[in-house]
Amino acid sequence: MRHSPVLTTTSRQRPARAAVFSAGSWGTALGKVLADTGSDVVLHARRGKIADGINTRRRNPRYFPDIELPPTLTATTDPAAALDGADYLVLSIPAQSLRNNLAAWAPHIDPHTVVVSLMKGIEQGTGKRASEVISEVTGIPAGRIAVLSGPNLAREVITGQPAAATIACPDEEAARRFQAACRTPYFRPYTTADVIGCELGGAVKNVIALAVGIATGMGLGHNTTATIITRGLAETTRLATALAAHPATLAGLAGLGDLVATCSSPLSRNRTFGTHLGRGLTVAQATATTRQTTEGVKSAQAILDLAHTHDIDMPITSVVTALLHEKITLDEAATVLLQRPPKPEH
Ligand SMILES: NC(=O)c1ccc[n+]([C@@H]2O[C@H](COP(=O)([O-])OP(=O)(O)OC[C@H]3O[C@@H](n4cnc5c(N)ncnc54)[C@H](O)[C@@H]3O)[C@@H](O)[C@H]2O)c1
Ligand SMILES: O=P(O)(O)OC[C@H](O)CO
């Protein structure tokens, strides 16, 4: 294991090195952000064809064939080579695959590497957030585990459209270093210590985006979707604050910001999946049309279980989960939500 100091692009000693696992949509986009800031970036790709495309043609042939990637962004299928000397291990794989994959990669992680999760899912069966899984699997202390979350649709970020995000880490200095490592003229990261708020904001918004997609697919309009977004934020905030998140985080980029982006954009995989359901496709049919990670579909039950454990009412998450398990119909879903007993808004 190497014992190199964690450097940033501001240290002027050498560029930061980032290993990004894997070369999917968001891994590639955030990898480009890091490279644009001056870091040396290695993407870990599962398929040789993707690594070859990045190394020889500067394109990710599966996810962004139309985008030219910088020469300081390379790729490999060898996890040990990707992690060698990495200041940052940036994790961007489906949340449900994290535990097993990370167990295989962990022996190659340097003692000073800071692990950054980009994942927006909750583990099925355990209800754990990604940072909790990372800590359990690797034994890395909380101060070296960060989370980046916010309104960050990958295609918009990789095409350089202005966006912002929140980097959460209990170690302020580590958060600031990663902030410096991914701050570009088009990408503005903020910092916070509220890891729980960031991760829950990111995971629950996917379920709310499924609900918005369902409503949109059913032909319902903006009053309905605005109501789902607003009440979705209310139930997200209830759960997150019960788990010790700061309410301001949920009103910020990793909460409201991401919720609005995901619920509004046809680029969102979760919203799109919901739209398929709202148009009458079965869950199996909607899944068959989806080529990329749709975290809300896999996390909805885990989030609901977490809510039950903490005695938190999450009606939208509950209805989406019932629809995903095909326990209720679309018409019943609307009725269940609207015919709940009346109550004050706050
Ligand atoms: N795409 C976005 O706009 C976006 C933005 C912010 C956060 N995220 C989050 O980032 C995470 C990754 O999403 P994405 O959009 O990059 O997904 P993606 O489907 O585009 O890419 C997933 C990547 O993980 C790899 N992968 C898939 N299954 C795997 C498995 N079982 N084991 C190991 N690797 C596997 C794929 O090869 C691919 O490289 C998700 O948690 C998502 O919520 C995505
Ligand atoms: O495409 P989605 O639905 O996974 O959403 C992508 C990002 O999380 C938006 O910030």
Side-chain angles (χ1 to χ4, degrees):
M1 287 200 176
R2 289 166 33 93
H3 288 263
S4 56
V6 176
L7 300 174
T8 73
T9 47
T10 56
S11 72
R12 302 287 169 222
Q13 293 178 51
R14 67 163 171 81
R17 288 184 199 149
V20 181
F21 286 51
S22 288
S25 315
W26 189 217
T28 305
L30 208 272
K32 180 174 181 293
V33 170
L34 288 160
D36 285 347
T37 309
S39 298
D40 288 330
V41 180
V42 182
L43 291 190
H44 174 259
R46 288 198 298 171
R47 298 182 197 86
K49 206 174 151 191
I50 290 186
D52 285 349
I54 292 169
N55 292 332
T56 60
R57 292 188 302 285
R58 292 204 202 138
R59 309 265 163 176
N60 184 325
R62 178 174 158 98
Y63 295 95
F64 295 111
D66 55 327
I67 303 290
E68 184 169 345
L69 299 168
T72 46
L73 189 156
T74 57
T76 177
T77 55
D78 177 354
L83 279 162
D84 186 32
D87 299 305
Y88 299 106
L89 163 56
V90 179
L91 290 168
S92 186
I93 58 174
Q96 309 307 329
S97 73
L98 174 62
R99 189 175 289 273
N100 285 343
N101 281 296
L102 191 56
W105 300 331
H108 309 295
I109 302 174
D110 271 9
H112 293 96
T113 305
V114 171
V115 181
V116 183
S117 166
L118 307 185
M119 293 164 286
K120 295 177 178 174
I122 300 293
E123 192 178 49
Q124 290 172 346
T126 67
K128 301 243 157 119
R129 294 172 282 108
S131 66
E132 295 179 295
V133 176
I134 293 165
S135 162
E136 260 182 39
V137 172
T138 63
I140 290 174
R144 272 178 48 221
I145 302 174
V147 167
L148 182 147
S149 194
N152 297 150
L153 295 149
R155 174 158 285 282
E156 293 188 7
V157 172
I158 205 166
T159 53
Q161 297 182 38
T166 304
I167 295 165
C169 183
D171 180 335
E172 270 182 48
E173 186 47 36
R176 272 201 294 270
R177 279 199 300 267
F178 193 66
Q179 179 184 40
C182 60
R183 183 174 164 221
T184 72
Y186 62 88
F187 194 74
R188 178 172 173 78
Y190 292 77
T191 60
T192 178
D194 186 4
V195 174
I196 298 173
C198 271
E199 288 189 299
L200 287 176
V204 182
K205 68 84 189 174
N206 285 329
V207 180
I208 306 304
L210 284 167
V212 166
I214 290 165
T216 307
M218 290 171 75
L220 302 173
H222 295 298
N223 293 338
T224 307
T225 53
T227 301
I228 295 170
I229 291 171
T230 310
R231 295 312 301 164
L233 182 61
E235 69 182 57
T236 308
T237 306
R238 273 199 298 274
L239 177 68
T241 51
L243 289 161
H246 197 293
T249 307
L250 286 309
L253 291 161
L256 177 63
D258 203 2
L259 187 63
V260 169
T262 311
C263 291
S264 313
S265 175
L267 288 176
S268 160
R269 288 84 45 93
N270 287 284
R271 182 185 183 277
T272 302
F273 192 102
T275 309
H276 291 320
L277 296 184
R279 288 187 180 137
L281 266 61
T282 63
V283 173
Q285 288 167 335
T287 304
T289 67
T290 307
R291 289 178 73 224
Q292 295 182 12
T293 309
T294 312
E295 293 282 22
V297 175
K298 298 270 173 66
S299 295
Q301 182 69 59
I303 292 166
L304 193 60
D305 292 346
L306 208 51
H308 288 155
T309 303
H310 295 273
D311 200 19
I312 302 299
D313 189 23
M314 297 189 76
I316 300 172
T317 301
S318 173
V319 160
V320 169
T321 306
L323 279 169
L324 289 171
H325 291 153
E326 297 180 336
K327 286 186 178 157
I328 57 172
T329 64
L330 292 173
D331 288 339
E332 285 165 348
T335 309
V336 167
L337 285 173
L338 288 167
Q339 293 190 353
R340 300 167 66 239
K343 61 178 216 173
E345 187 174 15
H346 301 293

